[in-house]
């Protein structure tokens, strides 16, 4: 029996990764107890002989959410450890502390603010207080666990600068939702679309750098380039209101698709997108990067370590926050030969990332 805590996996990327794990666990011969958040994506599972689910409420507000982290770690997990006596404990959410047991403990670190001083330093007010508490809790976690898992060499480097602990890099897998019949066959495009649709898959957070898109779209509009930027921002997020208003007021070539179901997102990758753009200032991994490469799309990203760690030589790299350089790199893709060469580089790079089955087995080998 293994105890796995997914209780704070509530953002789109973490939810998908957690569900990849659960789907594989249900097919395995191992037994699990999963702590999952009270969200629709986790409530479709039925308990089986080998998998049990404990549902916890999602608590709004950063400080209240942190109090819930204490409750889950100190109260619920200790209760479940006493009840089920698991072989090992895995936490997919940065924190694993306060558990009175000697089982092997593994935690996945995927919140960049915990180790990225550049991001942390740009915060203010309540946000910085919340992140300071998270750093404190992660310090407690490091003392309690055997291994910290990170998703890229970039995050491992930042972690090693902070603490001394055994760490493992486990690349994220391509989600089961994005599997296609064959990834082995690359087909060059014979012509380019008249309107080039760029796709930025991301909710709205400060480090996702949506503000850069306003500057980029302004430049695209002024130069009358045949480019539209599709975004996937949930307009119900209060912080996104000013950004969405600016798009409408300035009549910029940005089209908000809203948060898309996985099936619809797959269609955009496969049928509509000319290229992916990903201006984020920091990422622990960046699943949309490999999703885009999986569909042979060029990926336009800033000259930052996280992008290089995932894209390697496949990315279309521009100077960070340099609108003119970004437009220049996009314009290079208007040449058919350059476009196909870049697509082939993405296709080749994508083959190096695991499918969810082998990714799951890598975690299990670490827990056993």
């Amino acid at each position: 029996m293994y105890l796995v805590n997914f209780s704070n996996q509530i953002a789109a990327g973490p939810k998908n990764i957690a569900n990849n794990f659960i789907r594989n666990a249900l097919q395995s011969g191992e037994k699990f107890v999963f702590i999952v958040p009270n969200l629709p994506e986790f409530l479709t599972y039925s308990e089986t002989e080998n998998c049990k689910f404990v549902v916890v409420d999602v608590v709004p507000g950063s400080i209240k959410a942190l109090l819930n982290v204490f409750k889950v770690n100190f109260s619920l997990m200790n209760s479940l450890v006493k009840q089920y006596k698991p072989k090992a404990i895995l936490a997919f959410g940065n924190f694993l502390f306060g558990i009175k047991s000697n089982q092997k403990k593994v935690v996945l670190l995927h919140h960049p603010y915990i180790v990225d001083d550049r991001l942390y330093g740009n915060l203010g007010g309540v946000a910085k207080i919340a992140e300071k508490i998270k750093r404190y809790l992660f310090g407690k976690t490091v003392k309690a666990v055997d291994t910290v898992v990170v998703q890229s060499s970039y995050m491992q480097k930042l972690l090693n600068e902070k603490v001394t602990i055994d760490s493992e890099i486990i690349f994220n897998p391509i989600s089961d939702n994005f599997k296609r019949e064959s990834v082995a066959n690359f087909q060059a495009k014979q012509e380019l679309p008249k309107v080039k649709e760029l796709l930025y898959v991301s909710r709205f957070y400060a480090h996702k750098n949506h503000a850069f898109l306003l500057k980029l779209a302004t430049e695209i509009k002024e130069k009358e380039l045949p480019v539209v930027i599709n975004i996937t921002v949930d307009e119900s997020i209060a912080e996104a209101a000013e950004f969405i208003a600016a798009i409408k007021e300035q009549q910029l070539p940005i089209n908000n698709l809203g948060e898309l179901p996985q099936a619809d997102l797959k269609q955009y990758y496969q049928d509509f997108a000319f290229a992916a753009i990903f201006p984020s200032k920091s990422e622990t991994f960046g699943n949309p990067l490999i999703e885009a490469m999986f569909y042979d799309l060029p990926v336009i990203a800033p000259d930052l370590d996280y992008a290089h760690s995932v894209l390697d030589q496949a990315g279309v790299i521009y100077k960070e926050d340099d609108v003119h350089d970004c437009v220049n790199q996009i314009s290079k893709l208007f040449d058919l030969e350059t476009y196909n060469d870049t697509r082939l580089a993405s296709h080749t790079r994508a083959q190096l990332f695991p499918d969810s089955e082998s990714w799951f087995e890598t975690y299990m080998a670490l827990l056993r």
Side-chain angles (χ1 to χ4, degrees):
M1 175 73 74
Y2 297 92
L3 175 60
V4 185
N5 181 16
F6 291 140
S7 62
N8 61 353
Q9 302 304 276
I10 59 177
K15 281 190 295 188
N16 289 334
I17 295 300
N19 277 295
N20 279 338
F21 193 100
I22 293 171
R23 284 191 291 266
N24 280 282
L26 288 165
Q27 301 300 317
S28 75
E30 302 283 2
K31 293 185 176 182
F32 295 88
V33 175
F34 293 113
I35 306 173
V36 297
N38 187 7
L39 295 172
E41 294 87 346
F42 294 99
L43 301 180
T44 59
Y45 298 109
S46 299
E47 288 198 354
T48 66
E49 186 176 335
N50 71 312
C51 291
K52 298 183 182 298
F53 294 87
V54 179
V55 179
V56 298
D57 288 335
V58 176
V59 179
S62 55
I63 301 299
K64 289 182 179 179
L66 286 172
L67 291 175
N68 199 46
V69 168
F70 276 100
K71 181 179 178 181
V72 169
N73 275 266
F74 278 111
S75 179
L76 178 59
M77 292 186 72
N78 272 309
S79 175
L80 294 174
V81 166
K82 185 176 180 180
Q83 180 178 355
Y84 292 105
K85 297 179 174 55
K87 300 176 185 176
I89 304 170
L90 172 64
F92 260 42
N94 311 302
F95 311 118
L96 180 52
F97 57 89
I99 298 170
K100 301 171 184 177
S101 72
N102 295 319
Q103 288 96 339
K104 187 172 186 179
K105 301 179 185 70
V106 177
V107 66
L108 169 64
L109 170 64
H110 63 60
H111 187 61
Y113 290 87
I114 289 174
V115 290
D116 192 328
D117 289 337
R118 179 184 173 197
L119 285 182
Y120 178 74
N122 289 330
L123 295 172
V126 175
K128 195 161 192 174
I129 293 172
E131 294 303 333
K132 188 172 184 178
I133 296 172
K134 290 177 186 178
R135 286 184 164 209
Y136 171 78
L137 295 181
F138 182 70
K140 292 290 186 183
T141 294
V142 167
K143 295 177 182 178
V145 302
D146 299 280
T147 305
V148 175
V149 174
V150 291
Q151 298 160 316
S152 68
S153 57
Y154 164 70
M155 282 297 289
Q156 188 179 56
K157 175 177 177 290
L158 292 179
L159 174 66
N160 289 341
E161 291 173 356
K162 293 289 182 186
V163 297
T164 301
I165 188 172
D166 288 340
S167 62
E168 296 279 342
I169 299 174
I170 301 179
F171 284 133
N172 282 359
I174 185 69
S175 172
D176 291 338
N177 295 311
F178 291 99
K179 281 188 175 180
R180 59 187 181 193
E181 292 181 1
S182 172
V183 296
N185 299 319
F186 173 80
Q187 293 183 338
K189 298 288 187 182
Q190 299 304 309
E191 60 179 356
L192 299 180
K194 290 182 179 180
V195 176
K196 283 72 175 173
E197 297 191 28
L198 307 183
L199 179 62
Y200 184 25
V201 177
S202 174
R203 296 187 91 218
F204 195 88
Y205 301 107
H207 70 280
K208 297 296 186 178
N209 201 17
H210 283 83
F212 177 76
L213 295 184
L214 296 178
K215 301 174 187 176
L216 179 63
T218 300
E219 182 88 355
I220 288 169
K221 181 180 178 180
E222 290 176 354
K223 290 182 175 293
E224 297 183 344
L225 298 175
V227 175
V228 172
I229 304 171
N230 291 317
I231 58 174
T232 59
V233 171
D234 180 354
E235 295 192 19
S236 69
I237 299 174
E239 294 83 353
E242 185 178 346
F243 170 70
I244 297 297
I247 294 171
K248 296 175 181 177
E249 290 170 6
Q250 300 173 40
Q251 297 183 324
L252 297 175
I254 299 177
N255 176 38
N256 187 23
L257 307 172
E259 277 200 287
L260 294 176
Q262 293 286 292
D264 293 344
L265 183 55
K266 176 180 176 179
Q267 186 177 16
Y268 267 89
Y269 280 128
Q270 186 167 292
D271 299 329
F272 302 122
F274 173 76
I277 187 165
F278 205 81
S280 180
K281 290 181 175 294
S282 180
E283 293 291 323
T284 52
F285 186 76
N287 274 67
L289 298 173
I290 60 166
E291 291 168 3
M293 288 191 293
F294 190 77
Y295 285 99
D296 306 340
L297 294 177
V299 180
I300 304 157
D303 187 8
L304 294 173
D305 286 347
Y306 84 82
H308 291 294
S309 69
V310 177
L311 300 172
D312 196 38
Q313 300 301 308
V316 178
I317 302 298
Y318 65 89
K319 297 175 186 176
E320 184 192 9
D321 283 335
D322 188 325
V323 170
H324 299 299
D325 189 47
C326 186
V327 168
N328 184 46
Q329 297 303 323
I330 293 169
S331 298
K332 289 179 181 178
L333 296 174
F334 294 179
D335 175 75
L336 181 60
E337 183 177 357
T338 301
Y339 181 65
N340 278 320
D341 286 346
T342 309
R343 290 180 60 244
L344 180 58
S346 285
H347 175 91
T348 302
R349 176 67 176 166
Q351 313 310 309
L352 301 178
F353 293 94
D355 58 24
S356 67
E357 292 89 351
S358 59
W359 168 83
F360 172 77
E361 287 302 324
T362 300
Y363 266 102
M364 292 309 301
L366 192 59
L367 291 173
R368 291 184 181 115

